[in-house]
Amino acid sequence: MILIKDQLPILIDTGFGSDAKEQLIKEAGVSPEELHLIVNTHYHSDHFGGNYHLQKIMVLRLLLINGTPI
């Protein structure tokens, strides 16, 4: 999981599914609602597993590097 804190914050990969992701993002100084984009580098659960939880609390823009829909 990499968080790019910029004018439009970007999260690269969400790791395994967990409510803890939201807290980690907040501790880094970004509200999950502020995320502009989530980039999933590939289709393995340790890279996109946290998408589901974040989708429950916000509207997500997802970019899948290889174009594989999740």
Side-chain angles (χ1 to χ4, degrees):
M1 209 171 83
I2 299 170
L3 177 62
I4 299 172
K5 293 172 49 175
D6 202 354
Q7 189 174 15
L8 299 172
I10 297 173
L11 183 63
I12 300 175
D13 292 328
T14 56
F16 287 110
S18 169
D19 295 353
K21 303 287 182 273
E22 182 180 359
Q23 186 60 34
L24 288 172
I25 293 167
K26 287 179 182 177
E27 288 175 7
V30 176
S31 168
E33 292 81 13
E34 293 178 278
L35 288 175
H36 178 70
L37 181 68
I38 291 178
V39 177
N40 293 126
T41 57
H42 61 280
Y43 190 66
H44 286 161
S45 62
D46 61 328
H47 291 261
F48 76 88
N51 289 8
Y52 176 74
H53 172 72
L54 291 173
Q55 285 175 311
K56 291 190 309 183
I57 63 169
M58 59 186 288
V59 175
L60 296 182
R61 291 182 186 98
L62 297 172
L63 174 64
L64 309 171
I65 296 298
N66 65 359
T68 305
I70 295 177

PDB file of all heavy atoms in Angstrom, residues 1-12 21-32 34-37:
ATOM      1  N   MET A   1       0.840  -1.160   0.000  1.00  0.00           N
ATOM      2  CA  MET A   1       0.000   0.000   0.000  1.00  0.00           C
ATOM      3  C   MET A   1       0.895   1.236   0.000  1.00  0.00           C
ATOM      4  O   MET A   1       1.767   1.386   0.852  1.00  0.00           O
ATOM      5  CB  MET A   1      -0.867  -0.017   1.261  1.00  0.00           C
ATOM      6  CG  MET A   1      -2.175   0.663   1.095  1.00  0.00           C
ATOM      7  SD  MET A   1      -3.290   0.413   2.496  1.00  0.00           S
ATOM      8  CE  MET A   1      -2.728   1.658   3.616  1.00  0.00           C
ATOM      9  N   ILE A   2       0.691   2.092  -0.995  1.00  0.00           N
ATOM     10  CA  ILE A   2       1.443   3.342  -1.093  1.00  0.00           C
ATOM     11  C   ILE A   2       0.431   4.474  -1.221  1.00  0.00           C
ATOM     12  O   ILE A   2      -0.451   4.424  -2.076  1.00  0.00           O
ATOM     13  CB  ILE A   2       2.380   3.343  -2.315  1.00  0.00           C
ATOM     14  CG1 ILE A   2       3.402   2.215  -2.195  1.00  0.00           C
ATOM     15  CG2 ILE A   2       3.064   4.697  -2.466  1.00  0.00           C
ATOM     16  CD1 ILE A   2       4.211   1.998  -3.454  1.00  0.00           C
ATOM     17  N   LEU A   3       0.569   5.478  -0.387  1.00  0.00           N
ATOM     18  CA  LEU A   3      -0.305   6.639  -0.445  1.00  0.00           C
ATOM     19  C   LEU A   3       0.495   7.818  -0.972  1.00  0.00           C
ATOM     20  O   LEU A   3       1.520   8.199  -0.390  1.00  0.00           O
ATOM     21  CB  LEU A   3      -0.864   6.955   0.947  1.00  0.00           C
ATOM     22  CG  LEU A   3      -1.750   8.189   1.053  1.00  0.00           C
ATOM     23  CD1 LEU A   3      -3.005   8.034   0.190  1.00  0.00           C
ATOM     24  CD2 LEU A   3      -2.122   8.451   2.502  1.00  0.00           C
ATOM     25  N   ILE A   4       0.041   8.380  -2.074  1.00  0.00           N
ATOM     26  CA  ILE A   4       0.665   9.575  -2.628  1.00  0.00           C
ATOM     27  C   ILE A   4      -0.177  10.758  -2.173  1.00  0.00           C
ATOM     28  O   ILE A   4      -1.322  10.911  -2.595  1.00  0.00           O
ATOM     29  CB  ILE A   4       0.744   9.509  -4.163  1.00  0.00           C
ATOM     30  CG1 ILE A   4       1.591   8.307  -4.587  1.00  0.00           C
ATOM     31  CG2 ILE A   4       1.315  10.810  -4.728  1.00  0.00           C
ATOM     32  CD1 ILE A   4       1.585   8.033  -6.070  1.00  0.00           C
ATOM     33  N   LYS A   5       0.406  11.540  -1.264  1.00  0.00           N
ATOM     34  CA  LYS A   5      -0.300  12.696  -0.718  1.00  0.00           C
ATOM     35  C   LYS A   5       0.005  13.892  -1.595  1.00  0.00           C
ATOM     36  O   LYS A   5       1.081  14.462  -1.532  1.00  0.00           O
ATOM     37  CB  LYS A   5       0.133  12.934   0.723  1.00  0.00           C
ATOM     38  CG  LYS A   5      -0.307  11.842   1.665  1.00  0.00           C
ATOM     39  CD  LYS A   5       0.284  11.960   3.051  1.00  0.00           C
ATOM     40  CE  LYS A   5       0.162  13.323   3.646  1.00  0.00           C
ATOM     41  NZ  LYS A   5       0.628  13.405   5.034  1.00  0.00           N
ATOM     42  N   ASP A   6      -0.947  14.248  -2.419  1.00  0.00           N
ATOM     43  CA  ASP A   6      -0.797  15.347  -3.347  1.00  0.00           C
ATOM     44  C   ASP A   6      -2.101  16.126  -3.322  1.00  0.00           C
ATOM     45  O   ASP A   6      -2.989  15.836  -2.530  1.00  0.00           O
ATOM     46  CB  ASP A   6      -0.496  14.797  -4.747  1.00  0.00           C
ATOM     47  CG  ASP A   6       0.182  15.815  -5.652  1.00  0.00           C
ATOM     48  OD1 ASP A   6       0.331  16.983  -5.253  1.00  0.00           O
ATOM     49  OD2 ASP A   6       0.569  15.435  -6.773  1.00  0.00           O
ATOM     50  N   GLN A   7      -2.247  17.073  -4.226  1.00  0.00           N
ATOM     51  CA  GLN A   7      -3.493  17.828  -4.310  1.00  0.00           C
ATOM     52  C   GLN A   7      -4.671  16.873  -4.503  1.00  0.00           C
ATOM     53  O   GLN A   7      -5.739  17.076  -3.939  1.00  0.00           O
ATOM     54  CB  GLN A   7      -3.422  18.821  -5.452  1.00  0.00           C
ATOM     55  CG  GLN A   7      -4.570  19.793  -5.489  1.00  0.00           C
ATOM     56  CD  GLN A   7      -4.382  20.845  -6.558  1.00  0.00           C
ATOM     57  OE1 GLN A   7      -3.553  20.708  -7.453  1.00  0.00           O
ATOM     58  NE2 GLN A   7      -5.146  21.902  -6.470  1.00  0.00           N
ATOM     59  N   LEU A   8      -4.466  15.821  -5.283  1.00  0.00           N
ATOM     60  CA  LEU A   8      -5.456  14.757  -5.472  1.00  0.00           C
ATOM     61  C   LEU A   8      -4.810  13.458  -5.001  1.00  0.00           C
ATOM     62  O   LEU A   8      -4.066  12.822  -5.742  1.00  0.00           O
ATOM     63  CB  LEU A   8      -5.871  14.649  -6.955  1.00  0.00           C
ATOM     64  CG  LEU A   8      -6.526  15.896  -7.550  1.00  0.00           C
ATOM     65  CD1 LEU A   8      -6.716  15.733  -9.041  1.00  0.00           C
ATOM     66  CD2 LEU A   8      -7.846  16.197  -6.865  1.00  0.00           C
ATOM     67  N   PRO A   9      -5.048  13.045  -3.749  1.00  0.00           N
ATOM     68  CA  PRO A   9      -4.390  11.862  -3.187  1.00  0.00           C
ATOM     69  C   PRO A   9      -4.703  10.582  -3.973  1.00  0.00           C
ATOM     70  O   PRO A   9      -5.825  10.372  -4.436  1.00  0.00           O
ATOM     71  CB  PRO A   9      -4.941  11.769  -1.766  1.00  0.00           C
ATOM     72  CG  PRO A   9      -5.455  13.124  -1.452  1.00  0.00           C
ATOM     73  CD  PRO A   9      -5.921  13.684  -2.757  1.00  0.00           C
ATOM     74  N   ILE A  10      -3.682   9.743  -4.109  1.00  0.00           N
ATOM     75  CA  ILE A  10      -3.793   8.477  -4.839  1.00  0.00           C
ATOM     76  C   ILE A  10      -3.293   7.357  -3.943  1.00  0.00           C
ATOM     77  O   ILE A  10      -2.242   7.489  -3.301  1.00  0.00           O
ATOM     78  CB  ILE A  10      -2.957   8.522  -6.138  1.00  0.00           C
ATOM     79  CG1 ILE A  10      -3.508   9.601  -7.074  1.00  0.00           C
ATOM     80  CG2 ILE A  10      -2.953   7.157  -6.824  1.00  0.00           C
ATOM     81  CD1 ILE A  10      -2.644   9.836  -8.296  1.00  0.00           C
ATOM     82  N   LEU A  11      -4.030   6.271  -3.906  1.00  0.00           N
ATOM     83  CA  LEU A  11      -3.622   5.091  -3.158  1.00  0.00           C
ATOM     84  C   LEU A  11      -3.244   4.006  -4.155  1.00  0.00           C
ATOM     85  O   LEU A  11      -4.029   3.663  -5.042  1.00  0.00           O
ATOM     86  CB  LEU A  11      -4.764   4.608  -2.263  1.00  0.00           C
ATOM     87  CG  LEU A  11      -4.469   3.417  -1.359  1.00  0.00           C
ATOM     88  CD1 LEU A  11      -3.370   3.762  -0.355  1.00  0.00           C
ATOM     89  CD2 LEU A  11      -5.724   2.980  -0.632  1.00  0.00           C
ATOM     90  N   ILE A  12      -2.038   3.482  -4.031  1.00  0.00           N
ATOM     91  CA  ILE A  12      -1.582   2.405  -4.908  1.00  0.00           C
ATOM     92  C   ILE A  12      -1.675   1.105  -4.123  1.00  0.00           C
ATOM     93  O   ILE A  12      -1.007   0.941  -3.108  1.00  0.00           O
ATOM     94  CB  ILE A  12      -0.150   2.647  -5.410  1.00  0.00           C
ATOM     95  CG1 ILE A  12      -0.104   3.960  -6.196  1.00  0.00           C
ATOM     96  CG2 ILE A  12       0.320   1.467  -6.272  1.00  0.00           C
ATOM     97  CD1 ILE A  12       1.271   4.369  -6.639  1.00  0.00           C
ATOM     98  N   LYS A  21      -7.245  -0.275   7.036  1.00  0.00           N
ATOM     99  CA  LYS A  21      -6.769   0.576   5.936  1.00  0.00           C
ATOM    100  C   LYS A  21      -7.272   2.006   6.106  1.00  0.00           C
ATOM    101  O   LYS A  21      -6.535   2.961   5.926  1.00  0.00           O
ATOM    102  CB  LYS A  21      -7.239   0.053   4.574  1.00  0.00           C
ATOM    103  CG  LYS A  21      -6.850  -1.357   4.270  1.00  0.00           C
ATOM    104  CD  LYS A  21      -5.374  -1.457   3.971  1.00  0.00           C
ATOM    105  CE  LYS A  21      -4.995  -2.853   3.617  1.00  0.00           C
ATOM    106  NZ  LYS A  21      -4.668  -3.705   4.713  1.00  0.00           N
ATOM    107  N   GLU A  22      -8.547   2.121   6.429  1.00  0.00           N
ATOM    108  CA  GLU A  22      -9.136   3.440   6.603  1.00  0.00           C
ATOM    109  C   GLU A  22      -8.395   4.220   7.689  1.00  0.00           C
ATOM    110  O   GLU A  22      -8.074   5.394   7.518  1.00  0.00           O
ATOM    111  CB  GLU A  22     -10.613   3.300   6.961  1.00  0.00           C
ATOM    112  CG  GLU A  22     -11.335   4.610   7.113  1.00  0.00           C
ATOM    113  CD  GLU A  22     -12.800   4.437   7.463  1.00  0.00           C
ATOM    114  OE1 GLU A  22     -13.294   3.293   7.572  1.00  0.00           O
ATOM    115  OE2 GLU A  22     -13.457   5.473   7.643  1.00  0.00           O
ATOM    116  N   GLN A  23      -8.085   3.581   8.797  1.00  0.00           N
ATOM    117  CA  GLN A  23      -7.378   4.242   9.891  1.00  0.00           C
ATOM    118  C   GLN A  23      -5.954   4.623   9.486  1.00  0.00           C
ATOM    119  O   GLN A  23      -5.481   5.712   9.807  1.00  0.00           O
ATOM    120  CB  GLN A  23      -7.359   3.352  11.138  1.00  0.00           C
ATOM    121  CG  GLN A  23      -6.776   4.025  12.349  1.00  0.00           C
ATOM    122  CD  GLN A  23      -7.526   5.284  12.766  1.00  0.00           C
ATOM    123  OE1 GLN A  23      -8.752   5.369  12.629  1.00  0.00           O
ATOM    124  NE2 GLN A  23      -6.809   6.277  13.229  1.00  0.00           N
ATOM    125  N   LEU A  24      -5.271   3.746   8.760  1.00  0.00           N
ATOM    126  CA  LEU A  24      -3.911   4.048   8.305  1.00  0.00           C
ATOM    127  C   LEU A  24      -3.892   5.271   7.389  1.00  0.00           C
ATOM    128  O   LEU A  24      -3.004   6.115   7.479  1.00  0.00           O
ATOM    129  CB  LEU A  24      -3.313   2.847   7.577  1.00  0.00           C
ATOM    130  CG  LEU A  24      -2.919   1.655   8.438  1.00  0.00           C
ATOM    131  CD1 LEU A  24      -2.528   0.479   7.550  1.00  0.00           C
ATOM    132  CD2 LEU A  24      -1.785   2.027   9.376  1.00  0.00           C
ATOM    133  N   ILE A  25      -4.882   5.357   6.515  1.00  0.00           N
ATOM    134  CA  ILE A  25      -4.969   6.492   5.597  1.00  0.00           C
ATOM    135  C   ILE A  25      -5.203   7.776   6.393  1.00  0.00           C
ATOM    136  O   ILE A  25      -4.564   8.795   6.160  1.00  0.00           O
ATOM    137  CB  ILE A  25      -6.082   6.255   4.551  1.00  0.00           C
ATOM    138  CG1 ILE A  25      -5.693   5.088   3.640  1.00  0.00           C
ATOM    139  CG2 ILE A  25      -6.350   7.510   3.733  1.00  0.00           C
ATOM    140  CD1 ILE A  25      -6.830   4.578   2.783  1.00  0.00           C
ATOM    141  N   LYS A  26      -6.104   7.706   7.380  1.00  0.00           N
ATOM    142  CA  LYS A  26      -6.377   8.876   8.223  1.00  0.00           C
ATOM    143  C   LYS A  26      -5.137   9.294   8.999  1.00  0.00           C
ATOM    144  O   LYS A  26      -4.854  10.489   9.122  1.00  0.00           O
ATOM    145  CB  LYS A  26      -7.523   8.574   9.188  1.00  0.00           C
ATOM    146  CG  LYS A  26      -8.877   8.517   8.527  1.00  0.00           C
ATOM    147  CD  LYS A  26      -9.952   8.195   9.556  1.00  0.00           C
ATOM    148  CE  LYS A  26     -11.315   8.088   8.925  1.00  0.00           C
ATOM    149  NZ  LYS A  26     -12.348   7.707   9.912  1.00  0.00           N
ATOM    150  N   GLU A  27      -4.400   8.319   9.533  1.00  0.00           N
ATOM    151  CA  GLU A  27      -3.190   8.638  10.296  1.00  0.00           C
ATOM    152  C   GLU A  27      -2.130   9.305   9.426  1.00  0.00           C
ATOM    153  O   GLU A  27      -1.295  10.057   9.921  1.00  0.00           O
ATOM    154  CB  GLU A  27      -2.632   7.371  10.942  1.00  0.00           C
ATOM    155  CG  GLU A  27      -3.468   6.873  12.106  1.00  0.00           C
ATOM    156  CD  GLU A  27      -2.985   5.553  12.672  1.00  0.00           C
ATOM    157  OE1 GLU A  27      -1.911   5.060  12.268  1.00  0.00           O
ATOM    158  OE2 GLU A  27      -3.710   4.997  13.518  1.00  0.00           O
ATOM    159  N   ALA A  28      -2.184   9.040   8.124  1.00  0.00           N
ATOM    160  CA  ALA A  28      -1.246   9.677   7.193  1.00  0.00           C
ATOM    161  C   ALA A  28      -1.698  11.086   6.813  1.00  0.00           C
ATOM    162  O   ALA A  28      -1.026  11.778   6.056  1.00  0.00           O
ATOM    163  CB  ALA A  28      -1.101   8.821   5.939  1.00  0.00           C
ATOM    164  N   GLY A  29      -2.863  11.502   7.339  1.00  0.00           N
ATOM    165  CA  GLY A  29      -3.331  12.860   7.105  1.00  0.00           C
ATOM    166  C   GLY A  29      -4.266  13.027   5.930  1.00  0.00           C
ATOM    167  O   GLY A  29      -4.487  14.141   5.469  1.00  0.00           O
ATOM    168  N   VAL A  30      -4.834  11.921   5.432  1.00  0.00           N
ATOM    169  CA  VAL A  30      -5.760  11.973   4.306  1.00  0.00           C
ATOM    170  C   VAL A  30      -7.058  11.285   4.718  1.00  0.00           C
ATOM    171  O   VAL A  30      -7.033  10.167   5.223  1.00  0.00           O
ATOM    172  CB  VAL A  30      -5.174  11.276   3.060  1.00  0.00           C
ATOM    173  CG1 VAL A  30      -6.181  11.239   1.924  1.00  0.00           C
ATOM    174  CG2 VAL A  30      -3.904  11.976   2.603  1.00  0.00           C
ATOM    175  N   SER A  31      -8.166  11.943   4.503  1.00  0.00           N
ATOM    176  CA  SER A  31      -9.456  11.309   4.737  1.00  0.00           C
ATOM    177  C   SER A  31      -9.728  10.365   3.567  1.00  0.00           C
ATOM    178  O   SER A  31      -9.472  10.727   2.411  1.00  0.00           O
ATOM    179  CB  SER A  31     -10.550  12.374   4.805  1.00  0.00           C
ATOM    180  OG  SER A  31     -11.817  11.787   4.746  1.00  0.00           O
ATOM    181  N   PRO A  32     -10.247   9.160   3.819  1.00  0.00           N
ATOM    182  CA  PRO A  32     -10.538   8.251   2.707  1.00  0.00           C
ATOM    183  C   PRO A  32     -11.435   8.878   1.639  1.00  0.00           C
ATOM    184  O   PRO A  32     -11.297   8.577   0.458  1.00  0.00           O
ATOM    185  CB  PRO A  32     -11.230   7.062   3.381  1.00  0.00           C
ATOM    186  CG  PRO A  32     -10.671   7.056   4.758  1.00  0.00           C
ATOM    187  CD  PRO A  32     -10.503   8.513   5.111  1.00  0.00           C
ATOM    188  N   GLU A  34     -11.220  11.765   0.547  1.00  0.00           N
ATOM    189  CA  GLU A  34     -10.393  12.639  -0.283  1.00  0.00           C
ATOM    190  C   GLU A  34      -9.648  11.890  -1.384  1.00  0.00           C
ATOM    191  O   GLU A  34      -9.095  12.522  -2.290  1.00  0.00           O
ATOM    192  CB  GLU A  34      -9.355  13.354   0.579  1.00  0.00           C
ATOM    193  CG  GLU A  34      -9.922  14.351   1.554  1.00  0.00           C
ATOM    194  CD  GLU A  34      -8.828  14.966   2.388  1.00  0.00           C
ATOM    195  OE1 GLU A  34      -8.424  14.330   3.384  1.00  0.00           O
ATOM    196  OE2 GLU A  34      -8.370  16.074   2.036  1.00  0.00           O
ATOM    197  N   LEU A  35      -9.583  10.561  -1.290  1.00  0.00           N
ATOM    198  CA  LEU A  35      -8.845   9.793  -2.301  1.00  0.00           C
ATOM    199  C   LEU A  35      -9.420  10.065  -3.678  1.00  0.00           C
ATOM    200  O   LEU A  35     -10.623   9.953  -3.908  1.00  0.00           O
ATOM    201  CB  LEU A  35      -8.905   8.299  -2.003  1.00  0.00           C
ATOM    202  CG  LEU A  35      -8.092   7.807  -0.818  1.00  0.00           C
ATOM    203  CD1 LEU A  35      -8.361   6.324  -0.581  1.00  0.00           C
ATOM    204  CD2 LEU A  35      -6.613   8.055  -1.033  1.00  0.00           C
ATOM    205  N   HIS A  36      -8.563  10.421  -4.582  1.00  0.00           N
ATOM    206  CA  HIS A  36      -8.989  10.708  -5.948  1.00  0.00           C
ATOM    207  C   HIS A  36      -9.005   9.437  -6.798  1.00  0.00           C
ATOM    208  O   HIS A  36      -9.846   9.279  -7.675  1.00  0.00           O
ATOM    209  CB  HIS A  36      -8.050  11.741  -6.573  1.00  0.00           C
ATOM    210  CG  HIS A  36      -8.370  12.066  -7.991  1.00  0.00           C
ATOM    211  ND1 HIS A  36      -9.503  12.779  -8.344  1.00  0.00           N
ATOM    212  CD2 HIS A  36      -7.743  11.763  -9.138  1.00  0.00           C
ATOM    213  CE1 HIS A  36      -9.544  12.895  -9.651  1.00  0.00           C
ATOM    214  NE2 HIS A  36      -8.486  12.296 -10.157  1.00  0.00           N
ATOM    215  N   LEU A  37      -8.083   8.532  -6.510  1.00  0.00           N
ATOM    216  CA  LEU A  37      -7.919   7.359  -7.357  1.00  0.00           C
ATOM    217  C   LEU A  37      -7.253   6.254  -6.563  1.00  0.00           C
ATOM    218  O   LEU A  37      -6.415   6.514  -5.705  1.00  0.00           O
ATOM    219  CB  LEU A  37      -7.029   7.729  -8.552  1.00  0.00           C
ATOM    220  CG  LEU A  37      -6.715   6.680  -9.602  1.00  0.00           C
ATOM    221  CD1 LEU A  37      -7.971   6.320 -10.399  1.00  0.00           C
ATOM    222  CD2 LEU A  37      -5.628   7.184 -10.535  1.00  0.00           C
TER     223      LEU A  37
END
